[in-house]
Amino acid sequence: MNNNCFKSLIAAFSVIMVMSQSCDKKPSSGDYPIRPVPFTSVKLTDNFWAPRIKKNALVTIPIAFGFCESTGRVKNFEIAGGLDTGKFQTIYPFDDSDVFKIIEGASYSLQTLPDPKLDAYLDSLIWKIGLAQEDDGYLYTNRTISEMHGGKNLHEWANKSRWLNDSISSHELYNLGHLYEAAAAHFEATGKRTLLDIALKSADLVNKDFGPEGLKVYPGHQVIEMGLVKLYRVTGEKKYLDLARFFLDIRGPGGQQYNQAQKKVVDQTEAVGHSVRATYMYSGMADIAAIEKDDAYLNAITKIWEDIVYGKIYLTGGIGATGGNEGFGNPFELPNMSAYCETCASIGDIFFNHRLFLLHGQTKYIDILEKTLYNSMLSGVSLSANRFFYPNPLESNGQHERSAWFGCACCPSNIARFVPAIPGYVYAVTDKELYVNLFISNDAGIMLGGRKVKISQKANFPWEGKVELAIDPESGFKFDLKIRVPGWALNEAVPGGLYKFRDQNSAPLKLLVNGENSEIIMANGYMLISRKWKPGDNVVIDFPMPIREVMADERIKEDIGKIAIQRGPVIYCAEWPDNNTGNILDLLIKKDAKYTTEFVPSLLNGTQIIKTTGFQTKRTLDDKIETLKEENVVLIPYALWNNRGAGQMMVWLPTSTQATHPLPAPTIANRSKVRATRMTKTLFAVNDQIHPLNSNRESVSHYDWWPDKDKWEWVEYDFKKPETISKTKVYWFDDGPDGGCRIPDEWEILYLVGNIWEPVIARTPYKVTKNGCDSLLFKPVNASAVKIKVKLNKEFSSGIYEWVVE
Ligand SMILES: [Zn+2]
């Protein structure tokens, strides 16, 4: 066995996407009918992803370990292991999981970029993790440290007894799921059993404590299911597979929707609740469906996939629209500025779609995977690889900015482990078929039905549609080459039609085999080339990559009267630095706008931009909207926004004036300086002149005092010069019954004369109206400032869409 083959054989024993290997060895029992080609066999040579993977190794992984050290995550293991003394150092009991995830990423990274120092650092970390593991295999630093102090300071999310709170909050099994994934990766990368032995000791304890004869507590945050399947693949021990299935089968009915325990998993048909937990669970279900050929599981995940793709996914591939549950909203509830789209959910959805592809061999799953990869996942990390988004909104007024780290650090650690594994999504095989799923320049060595095939791709993706494949089997033999034809190269913006291209593109696909035009045969979305391949063969495909206008299903209220721009798999946005005034949200694009595209080497490390023209819009004092003179509009790839500082950004571009956010008219409120009891980044909303009665309710920003309740709060306008005022209007924010804000109990207007705040003398009654606007007339006063005082309800907070003073 040569080295390459040996490497892919080892690789096959674990990794995200490794279900079996591309070498000769067959899985002992069932598994996915299609096998991914492990990323260790695919060396990227492109200018888009290869530099990102290198930066992940040089920047993301070191800083992520640095934060694990400086925040006390590593020290928790040292204390629990008796190397140090003290209390639990960090905020959350799931902080152990970040260390495991970054070990997983570092292990992947070592396979492509060997680094003896990093290898030694992993050894030292693993030694500490081993010391922190209790004698019977239990590993959860928070409890172990607490027990060293006589049970003091046990995290409030944990029960006094092991495991009992896991369905609710303790995250004991969540930590372990990430441990198992890391252990499989580390074993694969280094051949060392150190972390694997810790994981197996832990899994044996879990297997003893849970199961038909033991505890029937379902995991509150899924991931252990996928982790156990990886341990099963590494060891061949069926007990780990059975335990994974047990943890799925004991969910529901009657549990929380938030963590997908509202029904038995096989009865679930809709994507609900926390979207990271959900996608991890659906991925675990896909593993069981594949290995055990379970139709009930398959049926459930098929329906759930349709539910996501037909109504709950953003054009960027992001999922999990709402922040309150960090999860799925109702179908078509896809707000842009408040879009949650957690980075981890994008990664989880990639896991899920990849597994569905491995089950079915259909391009629609890779279409979703590719869209997510190039847009909502990639937006999660800065070009410098040291700043991260948790939510990935599709619109910003400047209130969003990537952070170096988070108290809850799931997203950076997920980026750290996902990015090095990207080459593993390019190819897949069966004994007779070679699938080409992604177009990224690379050199790969693939085993196909026991024979070796070298394949290399030359492409300039995602900027150009031409792909050259050099196919070099060690000797001539027959197999099916299946080249994915992306939906965007045909006329499908997204499978299922939630988003559609405005115009049909009739440019034909071109396929050359050894320089000859070749007839295109399609199968399951793939171009199928079935022939006896011999050394030196080549294939050239030219995917048309015109600039496409995209329209959303009209049930997505926020996107009515708007278009988005897509080219190839890349979704574009307008961002403040590229536009003269820095104002983006007030843009209006002409319905028949012309677009051009060019590559700008100096911009954002080199990127393709799109140019068009539009107008700024402005609100007049009588609440009409006027368009200003035409100007150039530059669009950049959405994933690259916020690399030049915070400011306005917009993916869905208005083509009708009703859908715009015009520049405000120079009213008293707008000319004032705004202050409030809570100075948040959404304070701009109170005087932006956009409220539910003149705009789509879904796209109106608000300011609120959540989670405060049962107290007086205020907002104040400080005038530039004294003004005479006699009227006010306020639009209350109320997100009942699900959210935490309701209309307030009462309110009052005060004005400032000299240094004294006086109440106005009202000429009409103070009213509080839900879904409306409350006006108040009062005796005219000449004031230097005006204040609205708001009494929050005993049970609820409150907020304001807009506050007008005249
Ligand atoms: Zn996250």
Side-chain angles (χ1 to χ4, degrees):
M1 183 184 298
N2 71 25
N3 195 37
N4 259 347
C5 182
F6 178 71
K7 261 182 122 178
S8 42
L9 187 65
I10 292 290
F13 279 132
S14 68
V15 195
I16 292 188
M17 68 287 294
V18 172
M19 310 342 172
S20 71
Q21 69 295 94
S22 54
C23 271
D24 295 334
K25 195 165 171 273
K26 293 264 165 49
S28 54
S29 62
D31 215 318
Y32 287 95
I34 302 171
R35 307 186 295 273
V37 173
F39 67 89
T40 44
S41 304
V42 183
K43 187 181 179 332
L44 299 192
T45 55
D46 75 320
N47 293 324
F48 190 88
W49 289 110
R52 294 270 192 171
I53 292 171
K54 199 166 170 195
K55 264 197 180 158
N56 187 72
L58 298 179
V59 180
T60 309
I61 290 173
I63 63 157
F65 275 137
F67 278 110
C68 285
E69 297 275 359
S70 65
T71 56
R73 281 167 169 77
V74 173
K75 201 169 177 193
N76 284 336
F77 289 101
E78 293 169 351
I79 297 169
L83 294 171
D84 207 334
T85 55
K87 292 193 298 191
F88 184 73
Q89 301 287 306
T90 59
I91 306 167
Y92 301 108
F94 54 70
D95 290 334
D96 294 356
S97 70
D98 295 320
V99 179
F100 302 145
K101 270 153 83 185
I102 304 162
I103 290 176
E104 183 184 348
S107 301
Y108 295 153
S109 185
L110 281 176
Q111 291 181 308
T112 31
L113 301 160
D115 179 347
K117 261 176 79 182
L118 180 60
D119 192 15
Y121 178 70
L122 295 189
D123 286 344
S124 76
L125 269 183
I126 292 166
W127 174 65
K128 290 171 187 173
I129 293 166
L131 291 176
Q133 185 171 34
E134 297 188 17
D135 289 343
D136 66 353
Y138 186 76
L139 183 54
Y140 185 70
T141 60
N142 184 269
R143 183 184 306 281
T144 307
I145 293 170
S146 164
E147 282 173 1
M148 289 168 140
H149 299 94
K152 260 194 250 164
N153 299 321
L154 179 68
H155 200 280
E156 60 178 350
W157 291 355
N159 190 286
K160 281 206 180 69
S161 300
R162 289 178 180 182
W163 315 122
L164 290 189
N165 266 14
D166 201 83
S167 299
I168 308 162
S169 55
S170 72
H171 291 79
E172 285 154 289
L173 297 171
Y174 170 75
N175 286 345
L176 297 180
H178 282 304
L179 169 69
Y180 303 166
E181 297 205 301
H186 182 255
F187 173 65
E188 172 214 335
T190 63
K192 296 177 196 172
R193 289 192 60 98
T194 44
L195 193 60
L196 181 62
D197 286 339
I198 293 169
L200 295 178
K201 190 173 171 184
S202 155
D204 288 341
L205 174 75
V206 176
N207 193 41
K208 181 167 84 59
D209 286 356
F210 292 83
E213 312 299 321
L215 287 171
K216 288 172 192 63
V217 173
Y218 68 81
H221 193 315
Q222 301 88 322
V223 75
I224 196 167
E225 305 80 1
M226 281 193 284
L228 284 164
V229 170
K230 285 179 185 170
L231 294 186
Y232 158 70
R233 290 204 181 100
V234 171
T235 61
E237 295 244 26
K238 189 155 178 298
K239 62 182 176 185
Y240 302 127
L241 181 68
D242 293 342
L243 190 57
R245 185 177 182 126
F246 167 81
F247 280 135
L248 290 163
D249 285 344
I250 56 166
R251 307 189 79 83
Q256 294 178 63
Q257 176 161 299
Y258 171 69
N259 59 20
Q260 299 82 34
Q262 78 284 6
K263 290 180 181 175
K264 301 296 283 178
V265 295
V266 292
D267 295 331
Q268 297 192 24
T269 54
E270 292 172 6
V272 294
H274 190 277
S275 51
V276 182
R277 296 170 204 236
T279 50
Y280 287 2
M281 183 177 93
Y282 308 150
S283 300
M285 289 172 69
D287 286 346
I288 300 291
I291 296 168
E292 303 201 328
K293 309 272 176 282
D294 189 308
D295 285 343
Y297 270 60
L298 187 62
N299 187 35
I301 54 177
T302 302
K303 289 191 177 136
I304 289 167
W305 182 85
E306 288 174 354
D307 185 59
I308 296 174
V309 172
Y310 298 171
K312 295 179 182 171
I313 193 166
Y314 283 94
L315 183 62
T316 54
I319 56 166
T322 53
N325 60 348
E326 296 193 305
F328 294 102
N330 294 317
F332 314 107
E333 181 186 356
L334 294 162
N336 290 317
M337 194 178 280
S338 66
Y340 202 67
C341 292
E342 182 175 342
T343 302
C344 289
S346 290
I347 292 173
D349 205 35
I350 288 175
F351 293 164
F352 180 39
N353 278 281
H354 190 232
R355 282 164 164 80
L356 288 168
F357 157 74
L358 295 171
L359 272 166
H360 300 295
Q362 292 173 6
T363 52
K364 60 184 181 181
Y365 303 112
I366 304 294
D367 280 354
I368 298 290
L369 185 157
E370 184 190 58
K371 185 175 283 287
T372 311
L373 183 67
Y374 279 98
N375 301 290
S376 64
M377 186 291 296
L378 191 56
S379 149
V381 56
S382 67
L383 277 173
S384 53
N386 62 359
R387 290 282 185 283
F388 309 93
F389 269 136
Y390 199 116
N392 293 272
L394 282 77
E395 192 170 296
S396 182
N397 197 7
Q399 73 269 45
H400 306 97
E401 192 152 28
R402 291 188 187 87
S403 296
W405 191 250
F406 303 93
C408 169
C410 53
C411 295
S413 52
N414 235 338
I415 289 279
R417 74 172 180 144
F418 176 73
V419 169
I422 289 172
Y425 294 94
V426 177
Y427 298 109
V429 291
T430 66
D431 287 347
K432 296 191 197 81
E433 299 160 307
L434 170 54
Y435 289 87
V436 182
N437 276 330
L438 296 180
F439 307 103
I440 306 174
S441 293
N442 71 80
D443 296 313
I446 294 170
M447 292 303 293
L448 196 71
R451 306 226 215 174
K452 209 161 95 181
V453 181
K454 275 204 254 171
I455 181 165
S456 77
Q457 260 197 58
K458 282 200 179 55
N460 185 21
F461 253 61
W463 315 131
E464 290 169 27
K466 189 174 176 187
V467 180
E468 297 174 295
L469 295 171
I471 293 148
D472 231 340
E474 59 185 353
S475 60
F477 71 100
K478 190 174 179 216
F479 63 87
D480 290 350
L481 182 68
K482 291 183 150 182
I483 303 165
R484 171 175 156 260
V485 179
W488 53 256
L490 302 169
N491 281 305
E492 189 176 74
V494 70
L498 184 62
Y499 304 100
K500 289 195 167 117
F501 294 131
R502 196 162 153 207
D503 297 315
Q504 295 290 298
N505 169 39
S506 53
L509 294 170
K510 280 187 210 131
L511 170 67
L512 297 176
V513 180
N514 292 333
E516 308 267 318
N517 266 317
S518 189
E519 187 198 353
I520 295 174
I521 300 163
M522 297 292 291
N524 272 344
Y526 289 86
M527 282 184 193
L528 169 66
I529 313 171
S530 184
R531 58 182 273 142
K532 185 175 173 186
W533 295 94
K534 48 186 198 318
D537 279 347
N538 67 74
V539 173
V540 179
I541 317 112
D542 213 342
F543 294 117
M545 214 182 247
I547 299 162
R548 310 295 293 265
E549 289 180 328
V550 186
M551 294 169 71
D553 186 302
E554 60 191 21
R555 287 169 290 184
I556 306 177
K557 296 229 168 53
E558 264 230 45
D559 299 339
I560 290 175
K562 299 177 186 178
I563 52 160
I565 302 300
Q566 175 172 355
R567 183 172 177 274
V570 177
I571 306 300
Y572 279 77
C573 71
E575 196 194 11
W576 65 275
D578 305 309
N579 296 71
N580 288 339
T581 58
N583 295 323
I584 295 297
L585 299 184
D586 60 306
L587 278 175
L588 176 70
I589 303 295
K590 276 201 290 195
K591 278 211 172 92
D592 55 351
K594 299 273 180 289
Y595 300 90
T596 59
T597 182
E598 65 188 82
F599 187 80
V600 184
S602 58
L603 185 68
L604 296 162
N605 293 359
T607 189
Q608 194 84 19
I609 62 164
I610 290 174
K611 286 182 174 171
T612 186
T613 52
F615 306 88
Q616 301 237 320
T617 58
K618 193 168 186 244
R619 195 176 296 280
T620 59
L621 281 168
D622 56 354
D623 206 16
K624 299 221 165 57
I625 298 171
E626 64 178 17
T627 47
L628 307 180
K629 72 177 174 43
E630 188 168 322
E631 60 177 64
N632 292 324
V633 176
V634 171
L635 306 175
I636 62 160
Y638 163 73
L640 299 183
W641 86 281
N642 203 258
N643 277 292
R644 295 169 291 176
Q648 293 193 345
M649 180 278 293
M650 184 162 65
V651 170
W652 285 99
L653 309 169
T655 53
S656 84
T657 49
Q658 285 90 334
T660 60
H661 281 203
L663 290 170
T667 58
I668 294 176
N670 188 259
R671 293 195 310 263
S672 299
K673 192 172 156 227
V674 192
R675 296 193 297 147
T677 35
R678 185 187 281 257
M679 296 294 289
T680 64
K681 286 180 172 173
T682 53
L683 192 53
F684 72 86
V686 298
N687 65 344
D688 67 354
Q689 296 166 15
I690 295 166
H691 54 74
L693 302 188
N694 71 359
S695 313
N696 285 333
R697 171 172 287 273
E698 287 73 17
S699 43
V700 179
S701 300
H702 72 273
Y703 165 80
D704 65 59
W705 290 282
W706 189 85
D708 285 354
K709 51 192 172 188
D710 195 21
K711 62 192 277 207
W712 284 91
E713 305 275 6
W714 52 259
V715 177
E716 179 181 321
Y717 289 151
D718 294 338
F719 305 146
K720 283 205 172 110
K721 56 174 179 53
E723 302 271 3
T724 300
I725 52 173
S726 61
K727 185 179 177 189
T728 189
K729 279 191 278 186
V730 58
Y731 301 76
W732 304 111
F733 173 74
D734 183 321
D735 59 359
D738 297 326
C741 290
R742 301 289 185 276
I743 52 173
D745 286 352
E746 54 181 302
W747 57 289
E748 190 183 7
I749 297 289
L750 305 170
Y751 66 100
L752 188 65
V753 264
N755 292 323
I756 299 169
W757 287 100
E758 296 275 3
V760 297
I761 298 166
R763 289 184 166 161
T764 55
Y766 279 99
K767 281 192 254 169
V768 192
T769 311
K770 187 174 165 155
N771 297 332
C773 160
D774 288 315
S775 299
L776 180 80
L777 300 176
F778 52 86
K779 191 174 160 207
V781 291
N782 191 262
S784 58
V786 62
K787 180 184 276 189
I788 180 166
K789 279 179 74 183
V790 178
K791 173 70 173 38
L792 310 186
N793 182 272
K794 258 198 164 51
E795 303 291 326
F796 294 101
S797 197
S798 277
I800 291 176
Y801 282 116
E802 191 71 20
W803 175 38
V804 179
V805 178
E806 288 165 2

